[in-house]
Amino acid sequence: MHAAVIDDSTVSRAILANLLTDYGLRVSECDTADAAIDLLHRRKEIRVVLIDWKLAPGGGYDLVRRIRTDPAICDKRIIMVTAEAGVEDVAAAIEAGIDDYLTKPFSPVAVRDKMDLLGVMAA
């Protein structure tokens, strides 16, 4: 299984990528929304995308909406990674089209549980 981690923080990307790799997933990374759209168009095998809520510029919310309105990539599973766990924030992310969210700080178990829940763990 192949995942993408989209975050403008090198450290956050590395943490998630290492966890996902430890769980048997192949991982691609990028740091902007435009790079993410390009990556998803080039790498059709990506099944799940973890997007930082505070992704600059524009935010993860806008990236989710771009993915969901693009017929070529709208089938990806999306997990919003966020420190914003308020009801309004989660509702906005769900409205934009996320499949689930992961609250920072997260544990390795929480990441694995989200992957299991979405059925994207490597066999």
Side-chain angles (χ1 to χ4, degrees):
M1 193 65 65
H2 198 135
V5 177
I6 318 303
D7 196 318
D8 53 355
S9 165
T10 304
V11 173
S12 293
R13 277 196 326 272
I15 291 168
L16 276 171
N18 286 337
L19 285 172
L20 296 172
T21 300
D22 287 349
Y23 297 148
L25 281 77
R26 288 179 294 140
V27 179
S28 295
E29 304 174 39
C30 56
D31 61 356
T32 68
D34 288 341
I37 295 295
D38 180 59
L39 174 68
L40 295 175
H41 278 278
R42 286 185 295 106
R43 305 294 306 261
K44 301 293 186 189
E45 69 275 14
I46 293 172
R47 302 305 310 144
V48 62
V49 185
L50 292 89
I51 301 172
D52 181 47
W53 177 269
K54 298 278 188 183
L55 182 69
Y61 174 86
D62 289 339
L63 176 55
V64 171
R65 294 185 63 88
R66 287 176 64 188
I67 293 169
R68 290 299 185 222
T69 58
D70 185 329
I73 58 175
C74 66
D75 63 332
K76 309 302 180 194
R77 304 304 296 254
I78 298 175
I79 298 174
M80 185 68 75
V81 182
T82 179
E84 312 296 328
V87 173
E88 297 86 16
D89 297 318
V90 173
I94 290 169
E95 182 180 313
I98 67 166
D99 294 294
D100 209 337
Y101 67 95
L102 183 63
T103 304
K104 293 179 185 178
F106 50 79
S107 69
V109 171
V111 174
R112 183 170 182 103
D113 287 349
K114 294 296 181 179
M115 296 298 110
D116 284 339
L117 183 68
L118 294 179
V120 296
M121 288 302 296

Short mmCIF file of all heavy atoms in Angstrom, two decimals, residues 10-78:
data_model
loop_
_atom_site.label_atom_id
_atom_site.label_comp_id
_atom_site.label_asym_id
_atom_site.label_seq_id
_atom_site.Cartn_x
_atom_site.Cartn_y
_atom_site.Cartn_z
N THR A 10 9.12 19.67 7.96
CA THR A 10 9.99 18.53 7.67
C THR A 10 9.95 17.51 8.79
O THR A 10 9.90 16.30 8.54
CB THR A 10 11.44 19.01 7.46
OG1 THR A 10 11.44 20.01 6.42
CG2 THR A 10 12.36 17.88 7.08
N VAL A 11 9.93 17.97 10.03
CA VAL A 11 9.92 17.07 11.18
C VAL A 11 8.62 16.27 11.23
O VAL A 11 8.65 15.04 11.40
CB VAL A 11 10.14 17.87 12.49
CG1 VAL A 11 9.95 16.98 13.70
CG2 VAL A 11 11.52 18.50 12.50
N SER A 12 7.49 16.93 11.06
CA SER A 12 6.20 16.22 11.09
C SER A 12 6.11 15.19 9.98
O SER A 12 5.63 14.08 10.19
CB SER A 12 5.05 17.21 10.98
OG SER A 12 4.98 18.02 12.12
N ARG A 13 6.56 15.57 8.78
CA ARG A 13 6.55 14.62 7.66
C ARG A 13 7.40 13.40 7.98
O ARG A 13 6.99 12.27 7.75
CB ARG A 13 7.09 15.27 6.38
CG ARG A 13 6.09 16.07 5.62
CD ARG A 13 6.51 16.38 4.19
NE ARG A 13 7.91 16.60 3.96
CZ ARG A 13 8.54 17.76 4.07
NH1 ARG A 13 7.85 18.85 4.41
NH2 ARG A 13 9.83 17.86 3.83
N ALA A 14 8.59 13.64 8.55
CA ALA A 14 9.49 12.54 8.85
C ALA A 14 8.90 11.59 9.89
O ALA A 14 9.00 10.37 9.76
CB ALA A 14 10.84 13.08 9.32
N ILE A 15 8.29 12.14 10.91
CA ILE A 15 7.68 11.31 11.96
C ILE A 15 6.61 10.41 11.36
O ILE A 15 6.61 9.19 11.57
CB ILE A 15 7.12 12.17 13.10
CG1 ILE A 15 8.26 12.83 13.88
CG2 ILE A 15 6.22 11.34 14.02
CD1 ILE A 15 7.81 13.91 14.85
N LEU A 16 5.68 11.01 10.62
CA LEU A 16 4.60 10.21 10.02
C LEU A 16 5.14 9.21 9.00
O LEU A 16 4.72 8.04 8.97
CB LEU A 16 3.55 11.10 9.38
CG LEU A 16 2.50 11.64 10.33
CD1 LEU A 16 1.64 12.69 9.63
CD2 LEU A 16 1.62 10.52 10.87
N ALA A 17 6.05 9.66 8.16
CA ALA A 17 6.60 8.76 7.14
C ALA A 17 7.30 7.57 7.78
O ALA A 17 7.15 6.43 7.32
CB ALA A 17 7.56 9.53 6.23
N ASN A 18 8.06 7.81 8.84
CA ASN A 18 8.75 6.70 9.52
C ASN A 18 7.76 5.72 10.13
O ASN A 18 7.95 4.49 10.04
CB ASN A 18 9.70 7.24 10.59
CG ASN A 18 10.94 7.86 10.00
OD1 ASN A 18 11.33 7.55 8.87
ND2 ASN A 18 11.57 8.75 10.74
N LEU A 19 6.71 6.23 10.76
CA LEU A 19 5.69 5.34 11.34
C LEU A 19 5.02 4.50 10.25
O LEU A 19 4.87 3.29 10.39
CB LEU A 19 4.63 6.14 12.08
CG LEU A 19 5.03 6.71 13.44
CD1 LEU A 19 3.94 7.63 13.96
CD2 LEU A 19 5.30 5.59 14.43
N LEU A 20 4.62 5.15 9.17
CA LEU A 20 3.93 4.44 8.10
C LEU A 20 4.84 3.41 7.45
O LEU A 20 4.40 2.30 7.12
CB LEU A 20 3.39 5.43 7.07
CG LEU A 20 2.31 6.38 7.59
CD1 LEU A 20 1.99 7.44 6.55
CD2 LEU A 20 1.06 5.64 8.01
N THR A 21 6.11 3.75 7.29
CA THR A 21 7.07 2.81 6.73
C THR A 21 7.24 1.62 7.67
O THR A 21 7.27 0.46 7.22
CB THR A 21 8.42 3.50 6.47
OG1 THR A 21 8.21 4.57 5.54
CG2 THR A 21 9.45 2.53 5.91
N ASP A 22 7.32 1.88 8.96
CA ASP A 22 7.41 0.79 9.95
C ASP A 22 6.21 -0.14 9.87
O ASP A 22 6.33 -1.33 10.17
CB ASP A 22 7.52 1.35 11.37
CG ASP A 22 8.87 1.98 11.67
OD1 ASP A 22 9.82 1.81 10.87
OD2 ASP A 22 8.96 2.66 12.72
N TYR A 23 5.06 0.39 9.46
CA TYR A 23 3.85 -0.41 9.35
C TYR A 23 3.71 -1.08 7.98
O TYR A 23 2.69 -1.68 7.68
CB TYR A 23 2.61 0.44 9.63
CG TYR A 23 2.57 1.00 11.04
CD1 TYR A 23 1.99 2.22 11.29
CD2 TYR A 23 3.12 0.31 12.11
CE1 TYR A 23 1.95 2.75 12.57
CE2 TYR A 23 3.09 0.83 13.39
CZ TYR A 23 2.51 2.05 13.60
OH TYR A 23 2.47 2.57 14.87
N GLY A 24 4.74 -0.95 7.14
CA GLY A 24 4.75 -1.67 5.88
C GLY A 24 4.22 -0.91 4.68
O GLY A 24 4.07 -1.49 3.60
N LEU A 25 3.94 0.37 4.83
CA LEU A 25 3.46 1.16 3.71
C LEU A 25 4.62 1.84 3.00
O LEU A 25 5.61 2.19 3.63
CB LEU A 25 2.48 2.24 4.18
CG LEU A 25 1.05 1.77 4.49
CD1 LEU A 25 0.99 1.07 5.82
CD2 LEU A 25 0.11 2.95 4.48
N ARG A 26 4.49 2.02 1.71
CA ARG A 26 5.41 2.87 0.97
C ARG A 26 4.91 4.29 1.16
O ARG A 26 3.72 4.53 1.20
CB ARG A 26 5.43 2.51 -0.51
CG ARG A 26 6.14 1.16 -0.75
CD ARG A 26 6.14 0.76 -2.20
NE ARG A 26 4.76 0.52 -2.59
CZ ARG A 26 4.21 0.87 -3.75
NH1 ARG A 26 4.93 1.49 -4.66
NH2 ARG A 26 2.96 0.61 -4.02
N VAL A 27 5.82 5.25 1.25
CA VAL A 27 5.43 6.63 1.56
C VAL A 27 6.10 7.61 0.61
O VAL A 27 7.30 7.52 0.35
CB VAL A 27 5.80 7.00 3.02
CG1 VAL A 27 5.41 8.43 3.34
CG2 VAL A 27 5.16 6.02 4.00
N SER A 28 5.28 8.54 0.11
CA SER A 28 5.78 9.70 -0.62
C SER A 28 5.47 10.92 0.22
O SER A 28 4.47 10.93 0.95
CB SER A 28 5.11 9.82 -1.98
OG SER A 28 5.44 8.73 -2.80
N GLU A 29 6.30 11.94 0.10
CA GLU A 29 6.12 13.15 0.90
C GLU A 29 6.20 14.38 0.03
O GLU A 29 6.89 14.37 -0.99
CB GLU A 29 7.24 13.28 1.94
CG GLU A 29 7.42 12.12 2.87
CD GLU A 29 8.65 12.31 3.73
OE1 GLU A 29 8.92 13.45 4.18
OE2 GLU A 29 9.36 11.32 3.96
N CYS A 30 5.50 15.43 0.43
CA CYS A 30 5.68 16.75 -0.17
C CYS A 30 5.22 17.81 0.82
O CYS A 30 4.60 17.51 1.84
CB CYS A 30 5.01 16.89 -1.52
SG CYS A 30 3.29 16.53 -1.56
N ASP A 31 5.58 19.07 0.49
CA ASP A 31 5.40 20.14 1.48
C ASP A 31 4.47 21.26 1.06
O ASP A 31 4.32 22.24 1.80
CB ASP A 31 6.77 20.72 1.87
CG ASP A 31 7.51 21.33 0.70
OD1 ASP A 31 7.03 21.25 -0.45
OD2 ASP A 31 8.60 21.88 0.93
N THR A 32 3.83 21.16 -0.11
CA THR A 32 2.87 22.18 -0.53
C THR A 32 1.65 21.53 -1.18
O THR A 32 1.73 20.38 -1.64
CB THR A 32 3.48 23.17 -1.55
OG1 THR A 32 3.73 22.47 -2.78
CG2 THR A 32 4.75 23.82 -1.03
N ALA A 33 0.58 22.27 -1.24
CA ALA A 33 -0.64 21.76 -1.87
C ALA A 33 -0.42 21.49 -3.36
O ALA A 33 -0.87 20.46 -3.88
CB ALA A 33 -1.79 22.76 -1.66
N ASP A 34 0.25 22.40 -4.05
CA ASP A 34 0.49 22.20 -5.48
C ASP A 34 1.33 20.96 -5.73
O ASP A 34 1.05 20.18 -6.65
CB ASP A 34 1.16 23.43 -6.09
CG ASP A 34 0.20 24.61 -6.20
OD1 ASP A 34 -1.04 24.41 -6.15
OD2 ASP A 34 0.70 25.75 -6.33
N ALA A 35 2.36 20.76 -4.91
CA ALA A 35 3.19 19.56 -5.04
C ALA A 35 2.37 18.30 -4.76
O ALA A 35 2.56 17.27 -5.40
CB ALA A 35 4.39 19.64 -4.11
N ALA A 36 1.43 18.40 -3.81
CA ALA A 36 0.58 17.26 -3.48
C ALA A 36 -0.32 16.88 -4.66
O ALA A 36 -0.46 15.70 -4.99
CB ALA A 36 -0.27 17.57 -2.25
N ILE A 37 -0.93 17.87 -5.29
CA ILE A 37 -1.80 17.60 -6.44
C ILE A 37 -0.99 16.94 -7.55
O ILE A 37 -1.41 15.94 -8.14
CB ILE A 37 -2.47 18.90 -6.93
CG1 ILE A 37 -3.42 19.47 -5.86
CG2 ILE A 37 -3.20 18.68 -8.26
CD1 ILE A 37 -4.63 18.60 -5.54
N ASP A 38 0.19 17.47 -7.81
CA ASP A 38 1.07 16.89 -8.83
C ASP A 38 1.44 15.45 -8.47
O ASP A 38 1.36 14.55 -9.31
CB ASP A 38 2.32 17.75 -8.98
CG ASP A 38 3.26 17.20 -10.03
OD1 ASP A 38 2.84 17.07 -11.21
OD2 ASP A 38 4.42 16.89 -9.69
N LEU A 39 1.81 15.22 -7.22
CA LEU A 39 2.18 13.89 -6.76
C LEU A 39 1.03 12.91 -6.95
O LEU A 39 1.21 11.80 -7.45
CB LEU A 39 2.59 13.94 -5.28
CG LEU A 39 2.87 12.60 -4.61
CD1 LEU A 39 4.13 11.96 -5.19
CD2 LEU A 39 3.00 12.78 -3.10
N LEU A 40 -0.17 13.30 -6.56
CA LEU A 40 -1.32 12.40 -6.67
C LEU A 40 -1.66 12.08 -8.12
O LEU A 40 -2.10 10.97 -8.43
CB LEU A 40 -2.52 12.99 -5.94
CG LEU A 40 -2.35 13.12 -4.43
CD1 LEU A 40 -3.55 13.82 -3.82
CD2 LEU A 40 -2.11 11.77 -3.77
N HIS A 41 -1.44 13.01 -9.01
CA HIS A 41 -1.66 12.74 -10.44
C HIS A 41 -0.60 11.80 -11.01
O HIS A 41 -0.91 10.97 -11.86
CB HIS A 41 -1.68 14.06 -11.23
CG HIS A 41 -3.00 14.74 -11.18
ND1 HIS A 41 -4.05 14.40 -11.99
CD2 HIS A 41 -3.45 15.75 -10.39
CE1 HIS A 41 -5.09 15.17 -11.72
NE2 HIS A 41 -4.76 16.00 -10.73
N ARG A 42 0.63 11.93 -10.54
CA ARG A 42 1.72 11.09 -11.03
C ARG A 42 1.73 9.70 -10.42
O ARG A 42 2.13 8.74 -11.08
CB ARG A 42 3.08 11.76 -10.77
CG ARG A 42 3.39 12.92 -11.66
CD ARG A 42 4.80 13.48 -11.43
NE ARG A 42 4.96 14.06 -10.10
CZ ARG A 42 5.63 13.53 -9.08
NH1 ARG A 42 6.24 12.39 -9.22
NH2 ARG A 42 5.72 14.13 -7.91
N ARG A 43 1.36 9.60 -9.16
CA ARG A 43 1.47 8.33 -8.42
C ARG A 43 0.08 7.79 -8.12
O ARG A 43 -0.44 7.90 -7.02
CB ARG A 43 2.25 8.54 -7.12
CG ARG A 43 3.65 9.16 -7.26
CD ARG A 43 4.66 8.29 -7.99
NE ARG A 43 4.83 6.98 -7.48
CZ ARG A 43 5.81 6.59 -6.67
NH1 ARG A 43 6.70 7.45 -6.25
NH2 ARG A 43 5.87 5.35 -6.28
N LYS A 44 -0.53 7.20 -9.12
CA LYS A 44 -1.91 6.68 -9.01
C LYS A 44 -2.06 5.63 -7.91
O LYS A 44 -3.14 5.41 -7.41
CB LYS A 44 -2.38 6.11 -10.35
CG LYS A 44 -2.37 7.10 -11.49
CD LYS A 44 -3.39 8.17 -11.29
CE LYS A 44 -3.43 9.05 -12.52
NZ LYS A 44 -4.22 10.23 -12.35
N GLU A 45 -0.94 4.98 -7.54
CA GLU A 45 -1.02 3.91 -6.55
C GLU A 45 -1.20 4.43 -5.12
O GLU A 45 -1.46 3.65 -4.20
CB GLU A 45 0.23 3.02 -6.63
CG GLU A 45 1.53 3.67 -6.18
CD GLU A 45 2.25 4.49 -7.25
OE1 GLU A 45 1.65 4.80 -8.30
OE2 GLU A 45 3.43 4.81 -7.04
N ILE A 46 -1.07 5.72 -4.90
CA ILE A 46 -1.30 6.27 -3.56
C ILE A 46 -2.77 6.11 -3.21
O ILE A 46 -3.65 6.51 -3.95
CB ILE A 46 -0.88 7.76 -3.49
CG1 ILE A 46 0.63 7.88 -3.65
CG2 ILE A 46 -1.34 8.40 -2.17
CD1 ILE A 46 1.15 9.30 -3.78
N ARG A 47 -3.02 5.47 -2.06
CA ARG A 47 -4.40 5.19 -1.64
C ARG A 47 -4.86 6.06 -0.47
O ARG A 47 -6.04 6.28 -0.28
CB ARG A 47 -4.56 3.71 -1.24
CG ARG A 47 -4.19 2.73 -2.31
CD ARG A 47 -4.93 2.89 -3.65
NE ARG A 47 -6.36 2.99 -3.47
CZ ARG A 47 -7.16 3.77 -4.22
NH1 ARG A 47 -6.66 4.51 -5.18
NH2 ARG A 47 -8.44 3.81 -3.99
N VAL A 48 -3.91 6.52 0.34
CA VAL A 48 -4.28 7.33 1.51
C VAL A 48 -3.34 8.53 1.59
O VAL A 48 -2.15 8.42 1.31
CB VAL A 48 -4.24 6.50 2.82
CG1 VAL A 48 -2.85 5.98 3.12
CG2 VAL A 48 -4.79 7.30 4.00
N VAL A 49 -3.93 9.69 1.93
CA VAL A 49 -3.18 10.93 2.01
C VAL A 49 -3.39 11.52 3.41
O VAL A 49 -4.53 11.71 3.85
CB VAL A 49 -3.69 11.94 0.95
CG1 VAL A 49 -2.83 13.19 0.95
CG2 VAL A 49 -3.72 11.30 -0.43
N LEU A 50 -2.30 11.79 4.10
CA LEU A 50 -2.34 12.44 5.40
C LEU A 50 -1.95 13.89 5.19
O LEU A 50 -0.85 14.17 4.70
CB LEU A 50 -1.39 11.77 6.39
CG LEU A 50 -1.82 10.35 6.80
CD1 LEU A 50 -1.25 9.32 5.85
CD2 LEU A 50 -1.43 10.06 8.21
N ILE A 51 -2.87 14.81 5.50
CA ILE A 51 -2.69 16.22 5.20
C ILE A 51 -2.72 17.03 6.49
O ILE A 51 -3.66 16.92 7.28
CB ILE A 51 -3.81 16.72 4.26
CG1 ILE A 51 -3.80 15.92 2.96
CG2 ILE A 51 -3.67 18.22 4.01
CD1 ILE A 51 -4.99 16.21 2.06
N ASP A 52 -1.72 17.88 6.64
CA ASP A 52 -1.67 18.78 7.79
C ASP A 52 -2.71 19.88 7.64
O ASP A 52 -2.82 20.51 6.59
CB ASP A 52 -0.28 19.39 7.92
CG ASP A 52 -0.16 20.31 9.12
OD1 ASP A 52 -0.60 19.93 10.21
OD2 ASP A 52 0.36 21.43 8.94
N TRP A 53 -3.48 20.13 8.69
CA TRP A 53 -4.51 21.17 8.69
C TRP A 53 -3.91 22.54 8.41
O TRP A 53 -4.48 23.35 7.69
CB TRP A 53 -5.23 21.16 10.04
CG TRP A 53 -6.27 22.22 10.20
CD1 TRP A 53 -6.07 23.47 10.71
CD2 TRP A 53 -7.65 22.16 9.85
NE1 TRP A 53 -7.25 24.17 10.70
CE2 TRP A 53 -8.24 23.38 10.19
CE3 TRP A 53 -8.44 21.16 9.29
CZ2 TRP A 53 -9.58 23.65 9.98
CZ3 TRP A 53 -9.79 21.42 9.09
CH2 TRP A 53 -10.34 22.66 9.44
N LYS A 54 -2.75 22.81 8.99
CA LYS A 54 -2.11 24.13 8.90
C LYS A 54 -1.16 24.24 7.71
O LYS A 54 -0.30 25.12 7.68
CB LYS A 54 -1.34 24.44 10.18
CG LYS A 54 -2.20 24.50 11.41
CD LYS A 54 -2.86 25.84 11.51
CE LYS A 54 -3.56 25.94 12.87
NZ LYS A 54 -4.27 27.15 13.03
N LEU A 55 -1.29 23.38 6.74
CA LEU A 55 -0.43 23.41 5.56
C LEU A 55 -0.42 24.80 4.94
O LEU A 55 -1.47 25.39 4.70
CB LEU A 55 -0.93 22.39 4.54
CG LEU A 55 -0.14 22.24 3.25
CD1 LEU A 55 1.21 21.59 3.55
CD2 LEU A 55 -0.93 21.39 2.26
N ALA A 56 0.78 25.32 4.70
CA ALA A 56 0.89 26.65 4.10
C ALA A 56 1.30 26.51 2.63
O ALA A 56 2.02 25.59 2.29
CB ALA A 56 1.92 27.47 4.87
N PRO A 57 0.89 27.36 1.76
CA PRO A 57 -0.17 28.37 1.95
C PRO A 57 -1.54 27.75 1.69
O PRO A 57 -1.65 26.73 1.04
CB PRO A 57 0.17 29.41 0.88
CG PRO A 57 0.77 28.60 -0.23
CD PRO A 57 1.52 27.46 0.44
N GLY A 58 -2.57 28.36 2.19
CA GLY A 58 -3.94 27.95 1.90
C GLY A 58 -4.56 26.99 2.87
O GLY A 58 -5.77 26.97 3.03
N GLY A 59 -3.77 26.17 3.52
CA GLY A 59 -4.31 25.25 4.50
C GLY A 59 -4.70 23.90 3.92
O GLY A 59 -5.00 23.76 2.74
N GLY A 60 -4.68 22.91 4.80
CA GLY A 60 -5.04 21.56 4.41
C GLY A 60 -6.48 21.44 3.97
O GLY A 60 -6.81 20.64 3.09
N TYR A 61 -7.34 22.25 4.58
CA TYR A 61 -8.76 22.25 4.21
C TYR A 61 -8.92 22.52 2.71
O TYR A 61 -9.66 21.82 2.01
CB TYR A 61 -9.48 23.31 5.05
CG TYR A 61 -10.92 23.54 4.71
CD1 TYR A 61 -11.92 22.76 5.26
CD2 TYR A 61 -11.29 24.55 3.83
CE1 TYR A 61 -13.25 22.97 4.95
CE2 TYR A 61 -12.61 24.78 3.51
CZ TYR A 61 -13.59 23.98 4.07
OH TYR A 61 -14.90 24.19 3.75
N ASP A 62 -8.22 23.53 2.20
CA ASP A 62 -8.31 23.85 0.77
C ASP A 62 -7.77 22.72 -0.10
O ASP A 62 -8.32 22.43 -1.16
CB ASP A 62 -7.57 25.15 0.47
CG ASP A 62 -8.28 26.37 1.01
OD1 ASP A 62 -9.50 26.30 1.26
OD2 ASP A 62 -7.61 27.39 1.21
N LEU A 63 -6.71 22.08 0.35
CA LEU A 63 -6.16 20.95 -0.40
C LEU A 63 -7.17 19.81 -0.46
O LEU A 63 -7.35 19.20 -1.51
CB LEU A 63 -4.84 20.48 0.21
CG LEU A 63 -4.22 19.24 -0.44
CD1 LEU A 63 -4.02 19.42 -1.94
CD2 LEU A 63 -2.92 18.89 0.26
N VAL A 64 -7.83 19.53 0.65
CA VAL A 64 -8.84 18.47 0.65
C VAL A 64 -9.92 18.77 -0.38
O VAL A 64 -10.31 17.91 -1.17
CB VAL A 64 -9.45 18.29 2.06
CG1 VAL A 64 -10.65 17.35 2.02
CG2 VAL A 64 -8.41 17.78 3.04
N ARG A 65 -10.39 20.00 -0.41
CA ARG A 65 -11.43 20.38 -1.38
C ARG A 65 -10.94 20.24 -2.82
O ARG A 65 -11.68 19.79 -3.69
CB ARG A 65 -11.93 21.78 -1.09
CG ARG A 65 -12.68 21.84 0.27
CD ARG A 65 -13.31 23.17 0.57
NE ARG A 65 -14.32 23.52 -0.39
CZ ARG A 65 -15.61 23.19 -0.32
NH1 ARG A 65 -16.03 22.46 0.69
NH2 ARG A 65 -16.46 23.58 -1.23
N ARG A 66 -9.68 20.59 -3.06
CA ARG A 66 -9.11 20.42 -4.41
C ARG A 66 -9.07 18.95 -4.81
O ARG A 66 -9.39 18.60 -5.95
CB ARG A 66 -7.71 21.03 -4.48
CG ARG A 66 -7.70 22.53 -4.48
CD ARG A 66 -6.30 23.12 -4.45
NE ARG A 66 -5.53 22.80 -5.66
CZ ARG A 66 -4.24 23.06 -5.80
NH1 ARG A 66 -3.56 23.66 -4.80
NH2 ARG A 66 -3.60 22.75 -6.92
N ILE A 67 -8.66 18.10 -3.89
CA ILE A 67 -8.61 16.67 -4.19
C ILE A 67 -10.01 16.14 -4.46
O ILE A 67 -10.24 15.42 -5.43
CB ILE A 67 -7.95 15.90 -3.03
CG1 ILE A 67 -6.46 16.27 -2.92
CG2 ILE A 67 -8.12 14.39 -3.21
CD1 ILE A 67 -5.78 15.77 -1.67
N ARG A 68 -10.96 16.49 -3.62
CA ARG A 68 -12.31 15.96 -3.75
C ARG A 68 -13.04 16.43 -5.01
O ARG A 68 -13.97 15.79 -5.46
CB ARG A 68 -13.15 16.29 -2.51
CG ARG A 68 -12.72 15.52 -1.28
CD ARG A 68 -12.86 14.02 -1.50
NE ARG A 68 -12.56 13.29 -0.28
CZ ARG A 68 -11.85 12.19 -0.25
NH1 ARG A 68 -11.36 11.68 -1.34
NH2 ARG A 68 -11.63 11.58 0.90
N THR A 69 -12.61 17.55 -5.58
CA THR A 69 -13.28 18.05 -6.79
C THR A 69 -12.51 17.69 -8.06
O THR A 69 -12.94 18.07 -9.15
CB THR A 69 -13.48 19.58 -6.72
OG1 THR A 69 -12.21 20.21 -6.55
CG2 THR A 69 -14.40 19.95 -5.57
N ASP A 70 -11.42 16.95 -7.94
CA ASP A 70 -10.63 16.54 -9.10
C ASP A 70 -10.97 15.08 -9.42
O ASP A 70 -10.59 14.18 -8.68
CB ASP A 70 -9.15 16.70 -8.78
CG ASP A 70 -8.25 16.43 -9.96
OD1 ASP A 70 -8.60 15.59 -10.83
OD2 ASP A 70 -7.17 17.05 -10.03
N PRO A 71 -11.69 14.84 -10.52
CA PRO A 71 -12.12 13.47 -10.84
C PRO A 71 -10.99 12.46 -10.94
O PRO A 71 -11.21 11.27 -10.68
CB PRO A 71 -12.83 13.62 -12.19
CG PRO A 71 -13.14 15.06 -12.32
CD PRO A 71 -12.12 15.81 -11.52
N ALA A 72 -9.79 12.89 -11.27
CA ALA A 72 -8.68 11.96 -11.44
C ALA A 72 -8.10 11.47 -10.12
O ALA A 72 -7.44 10.42 -10.08
CB ALA A 72 -7.58 12.62 -12.27
N ILE A 73 -8.34 12.19 -9.01
CA ILE A 73 -7.71 11.82 -7.73
C ILE A 73 -8.69 11.82 -6.56
O ILE A 73 -8.28 11.63 -5.42
CB ILE A 73 -6.52 12.75 -7.42
CG1 ILE A 73 -6.93 14.22 -7.38
CG2 ILE A 73 -5.38 12.52 -8.41
CD1 ILE A 73 -5.83 15.18 -6.95
N CYS A 74 -9.96 12.02 -6.82
CA CYS A 74 -10.94 12.17 -5.73
C CYS A 74 -11.20 10.89 -4.94
O CYS A 74 -11.84 10.94 -3.89
CB CYS A 74 -12.25 12.74 -6.27
SG CYS A 74 -13.11 11.64 -7.41
N ASP A 75 -10.68 9.76 -5.41
CA ASP A 75 -10.93 8.48 -4.74
C ASP A 75 -9.98 8.19 -3.58
O ASP A 75 -10.12 7.17 -2.91
CB ASP A 75 -10.85 7.35 -5.76
CG ASP A 75 -9.47 7.21 -6.37
OD1 ASP A 75 -8.73 8.22 -6.47
OD2 ASP A 75 -9.12 6.09 -6.78
N LYS A 76 -9.03 9.07 -3.33
CA LYS A 76 -8.06 8.83 -2.26
C LYS A 76 -8.71 8.91 -0.89
O LYS A 76 -9.63 9.70 -0.67
CB LYS A 76 -6.92 9.86 -2.32
CG LYS A 76 -6.27 10.03 -3.67
CD LYS A 76 -5.70 8.75 -4.20
CE LYS A 76 -5.06 8.99 -5.57
NZ LYS A 76 -4.79 7.76 -6.27
N ARG A 77 -8.24 8.08 0.04
CA ARG A 77 -8.66 8.20 1.43
C ARG A 77 -7.86 9.35 2.03
O ARG A 77 -6.66 9.46 1.79
CB ARG A 77 -8.38 6.91 2.21
CG ARG A 77 -8.99 5.64 1.63
CD ARG A 77 -10.49 5.71 1.44
NE ARG A 77 -11.21 5.86 2.68
CZ ARG A 77 -11.92 4.91 3.28
NH1 ARG A 77 -12.02 3.73 2.75
NH2 ARG A 77 -12.54 5.17 4.41
N ILE A 78 -8.52 10.21 2.80
CA ILE A 78 -7.85 11.38 3.35
C ILE A 78 -7.99 11.43 4.86
O ILE A 78 -9.10 11.33 5.40
CB ILE A 78 -8.42 12.68 2.75
CG1 ILE A 78 -8.21 12.71 1.23
CG2 ILE A 78 -7.78 13.90 3.41
CD1 ILE A 78 -8.86 13.90 0.55
#
